[in-house]
Amino acid sequence: LERKMEDNTLRTVVKFYGAIIFLAFLSRSRYTAICFICKAVQLSLQNGACVYTPLSLLQLMGFAMEDNHAANLYHIAKNALSLLERFDVGGDQISGVFMNFYGRIAWHYEPFQVCGDNLRRGFESGLSSGSNLGFHCAFHVIKTAIISGEKLDSLLKEIDYYLHLLKTYKSELMKNALLISRETVSALIDKGEATSIEAKVFNNSSQEPVFFHQAYRAFWSGYTVRCHHYFEKCSQLSGQYVQFNPFVLKFYHGLNSLDVLKKKKSHTTRYKEVVRDAISAMKDAAAKSEWNFMNKLRLLEAEQQHLTRHHWRAIDLYDASIQSAKKSGFIHEQGLACEKAGFYYKRYGNNDKALEYFKQARACYDEWGSSMKVDFIKKEIDSLDVSGS
């Protein structure tokens, strides 16, 4: 791709393919999108790069990252990103490039927070150029912010800002996805008691975001059976998690299954399969990005050791998960690891240590902005204080 595409007609064809790809994504026609992405990349490989080449390459790498060659594909994607410097790229192209690189590829290796910041840059570029791709970036911003544990009150304001812009521009694009995300953030803050809004989510929205958010809300609310039900639905849509980070989904699915296994004595085969798959996936993910996934791997391992009653190993793994989450700035998962450690000590009758970890969890959840979780942990603290007095 050292050559530039000189033929203006060919550049127009690549641009036209890009429009078809965009419509294919909107209509969720996966194979149509892949077909025209390949056509656009083939034209660039045969005739040289043009301003539309980086986006086509990144779209192709986004699909290819589903295979087991992530390191090489990430390297190609980084090179595609560097192609932007060779062209006078408009805001619409920047928005599309950033959405595909930071929303679909970069998180394998780069911190979630870095991805989120650059997706915000993509949104601003799209907004300044009047491109609808900016609102696609907004969807990825919120998705990334939720799994990064950004402060919930700020996140709620950001979603409302995007919804306000959609109303101003009389656009419905990504409105459903943003409203569903808003319901989740509102539920995490206070179960929607003071932060919910009256807004209708249309039935023609993609099922995957609905299933993911239902599962995510259920997990943090402690509804294990409901959580498992929706994660199973999410994974069955196409045999894989599509729009949402597959490793994050497997982490929460695995952790929820471990909660079920602590209570269930029969019919546990499927839950054990989920746990094995989750731990295997976290090992692969953490090998690429310790920052994003090591805390998750350690917490799954701690809960597994809890289940098999390997006391000292479990304690070390809980502490390792807490420290890893703290280092990476995942305040919600730091609180979660403290909470799980607290319940571990409570189960074995060490109320002093349980109280210590529950208080750490409360501080983390308070910083995250989840009154729902603060209230939940406060009840555990109060019960231990009463029993200890």
Side-chain angles (χ1 to χ4, degrees):
L1 292 173
E2 293 180 0
R3 293 184 299 134
K4 281 191 176 182
M5 188 180 290
E6 303 294 343
D7 190 321
N8 189 53
T9 301
L10 289 178
R11 288 199 296 271
T12 303
V13 171
V14 177
K15 182 180 181 180
F16 175 66
Y17 286 163
I20 295 175
I21 293 162
F22 180 68
L23 292 173
F25 276 123
L26 285 182
S27 61
R28 297 190 286 277
S29 180
R30 175 187 177 89
Y31 294 105
T32 300
I34 292 173
C35 175
F36 282 93
I37 289 168
C38 290
K39 287 177 179 289
V41 171
Q42 185 179 27
L43 276 178
S44 294
L45 291 173
Q46 292 174 341
N47 301 281
C50 68
V51 68
Y52 308 109
T53 298
L55 179 55
S56 299
L57 279 169
L58 287 167
Q59 288 169 333
L60 182 60
M61 294 306 103
F63 280 113
M65 288 294 279
E66 296 164 3
D67 294 326
N68 296 319
H69 307 287
N72 290 333
L73 296 171
Y74 173 69
H75 181 69
I76 294 171
K78 289 284 283 187
N79 287 337
L81 198 65
S82 68
L83 279 176
L84 290 175
E85 299 171 4
R86 290 171 52 185
F87 302 99
D88 183 15
V89 180
D92 57 338
Q93 286 295 303
I94 292 175
S95 186
V97 164
F98 277 36
M99 179 188 72
N100 278 276
F101 183 71
Y102 291 105
R104 301 177 67 201
I105 299 169
W107 56 261
H108 285 272
Y109 293 93
E110 300 183 24
F112 286 143
Q113 295 93 332
V114 170
C115 295
D117 289 344
N118 281 287
L119 285 164
R120 288 183 174 95
R121 288 176 57 199
F123 166 75
E124 294 294 340
S125 294
L127 189 67
S128 65
S129 66
S131 169
N132 284 329
L133 284 172
F135 289 109
H136 282 269
C137 273
F139 162 71
H140 285 283
V141 166
I142 300 305
K143 176 186 71 174
T144 305
I146 288 173
I147 64 176
S148 300
E150 290 194 18
K151 291 187 177 181
L152 294 171
D153 55 347
S154 298
L155 191 49
L156 196 69
K157 291 175 183 177
E158 187 169 9
I159 296 172
D160 285 342
Y161 170 65
Y162 294 143
L163 289 170
H164 171 72
L165 288 177
L166 285 171
K167 184 177 181 180
T168 300
Y169 290 107
K170 296 181 172 60
S171 173
E172 296 293 316
L173 194 64
M174 306 312 295
K175 181 178 178 180
N176 273 356
L178 289 171
L179 285 172
I180 294 167
S181 299
R182 195 191 189 286
E183 287 180 9
T184 295
V185 174
S186 176
L188 291 171
I189 292 174
D190 61 359
K191 299 182 181 179
E193 292 177 2
T195 55
S196 62
I197 59 173
E198 291 292 331
K200 183 178 179 181
V201 177
F202 296 101
N203 292 328
N204 63 347
S205 60
S206 173
Q207 288 181 305
E208 189 200 359
V210 175
F211 293 156
F212 165 74
H213 283 283
Q214 289 282 8
Y216 196 73
R217 291 172 211 159
F219 174 85
W220 285 102
S221 300
Y223 302 135
T224 54
V225 176
R226 185 189 303 176
C227 179
H228 180 76
H229 170 76
Y230 281 110
F231 273 139
E232 290 286 277
K233 278 186 169 291
C234 194
S235 64
Q236 289 165 6
L237 286 177
S238 61
Q240 59 186 326
Y241 303 116
V242 183
Q243 294 183 21
F244 289 86
N245 189 300
F247 295 101
V248 171
L249 286 162
K250 288 182 178 182
F251 165 64
Y252 283 105
H253 197 180
L255 210 53
N256 183 75
S257 295
L258 282 159
D259 283 338
V260 174
L261 288 169
K262 290 174 195 171
K263 305 169 187 174
K264 227 172 164 58
K265 301 300 181 183
S266 60
H267 306 295
T268 60
T269 302
R270 175 55 186 155
Y271 295 104
K272 289 178 180 177
E273 288 175 357
V274 171
V275 172
R276 284 195 297 269
D277 184 44
I279 291 176
S280 175
M282 286 313 104
K283 286 179 179 178
D284 290 342
K288 300 182 185 76
S289 174
E290 286 191 10
W291 181 279
N292 288 338
F293 298 107
M294 185 56 75
N295 74 295
K296 298 169 179 61
L297 172 61
R298 294 297 178 240
L299 186 53
L300 283 169
E301 291 175 334
E303 288 286 271
Q304 188 181 50
Q305 296 300 317
H306 177 167
L307 198 64
T308 55
R309 302 188 180 188
H310 289 84
H311 179 68
W312 295 111
R313 183 65 178 144
I315 291 171
D316 288 344
L317 288 165
Y318 282 125
D319 287 338
S321 178
I322 292 166
Q323 291 306 313
S324 180
K326 183 178 181 179
K327 179 182 177 182
S328 297
F330 301 148
I331 192 66
H332 61 322
E333 290 172 357
Q334 182 184 345
L336 182 60
C338 291
E339 176 187 332
K340 296 295 185 185
F343 278 113
Y344 176 81
Y345 277 110
K346 182 181 178 182
R347 178 179 180 179
Y348 289 103
N350 191 335
N351 288 354
D352 289 339
K353 290 297 289 186
L355 197 59
E356 176 186 329
Y357 280 99
F358 281 142
K359 287 180 178 179
Q360 290 179 46
R362 181 179 61 184
C364 291
Y365 290 145
D366 187 53
E367 184 176 342
W368 186 28
S370 177
S371 297
M372 177 189 74
K373 290 300 295 182
V374 169
D375 291 343
F376 172 77
I377 293 295
K378 186 176 183 300
K379 290 177 182 177
E380 292 296 330
I381 293 172
D382 290 345
S383 70
L384 290 175
D385 280 338
V386 169
S387 62
S389 60

